[in-house]
Amino acid sequence: MKPEMTTSLTELSPSGLAAVEQEIARACRQARRDRGSVTLIAVSKTFDAAAIVPVIGAGQRVFGENRVQEAKAKWPELISAYPGIALHLIGPLQSNKAREAVALFDAVHSVDRPSICEALAKEINSQKKWPELFVQLNTGEEPQKAGVPPAEADAFIAACRERYGLAISGLMCIPPVDEAPAPHFALTAKIAARNGLEKLSMGMSADFAIAIQLGATHVRVGSAIFGKR
Ligand SMILES: *Cc1c(COP(=O)(O)O)cnc(C)c1O
């Protein structure tokens, strides 16, 4: 083993992960939910293998990346070295990356427009691989942000299913940074319920406990595990 790997295994012994695990367990108890009903996605974007390996070593198996190219560069090797890794794409997807995304990822959280639906459907059918799919909502209706506006969500989900034949598992949201997240989580849960969707991808380092209170099944936590980016 190279010296820097030895150093990182001790220095980065993942205290962040342990703290996040503890907080998830606490939030689940408080919400009277089973710990098994919440999947922790460790968001490893910008961090290299030396930072990721100790987190895998501590037992974490579900990871999130926001860029297809970055994930392609660092994950195939880790996936073959450590069995049972699941990789989630949590960032925007371009249609021309759909092939690589379907090949590499076990879940895509950023389904938000017809061109992506079409590209995903094509790749799913040809690769016979079925990543779990989440429709991303833009609950804050922020012009710069990806996601479907709440008013268009029902029609978009219906189109995903009927027009593109996609099995949608749930909804994802990223609340505006300068607002209380709870109303955004509650709105996401409400839209999911009325569309028969069981999975909710919501909650990041600053607010995952609140998200669990409001029904999150997937929390996407980066900096609280890996440190500042
Ligand atoms: C980076 C990112 C996260 C994790 O954010 P932290 O605040 O570091 O926990 C979660 N979701 C998405 C979509 C992200 O891009």
Side-chain angles (χ1 to χ4, degrees), residues 43 45 90 172 174 204-205 220-223 229:
V43 178
K45 65 186 185 198
I90 60 169
M172 181 270 231
I174 310 172
M204 318 197 330
S205 289
R220 311 177 309 268
V221 181
S223 48
R229 285 184 294 273

Side-chain angles (χ1 to χ4, degrees), residues 1 5 8-9 14 48-61 63 75 78 82 226:
M1 192 176 277
M5 287 292 278
S8 66
L9 277 171
D48 62 9
I52 294 169
V53 164
V55 175
I56 297 173
Q60 178 66 26
R61 286 296 178 273
F63 289 86
W75 277 100
L78 289 166
Y82 300 95
F226 290 99

Side-chain angles (χ1 to χ4, degrees), residues 15-31 33 35 38 40 204-213 219 221 224-225:
S15 57
L17 177 66
V20 168
E21 271 299 345
Q22 235 174 36
E23 181 65 5
I24 291 174
R26 193 201 55 76
C28 285
R29 278 195 303 276
Q30 194 181 327
R33 295 182 55 187
R35 170 64 187 90
V38 179
L40 169 61
M204 318 197 330
S205 289
D207 53 22
F208 65 85
I210 302 165
I212 289 170
Q213 199 73 41
V219 293
V221 181
I225 296 172

Side-chain angles (χ1 to χ4, degrees), residues 190-202:
K190 185 175 140 189
I191 294 172
R194 74 174 180 234
N195 284 282
L197 297 170
E198 288 178 356
K199 306 281 174 70
L200 293 169
S201 167
M202 52 191 205

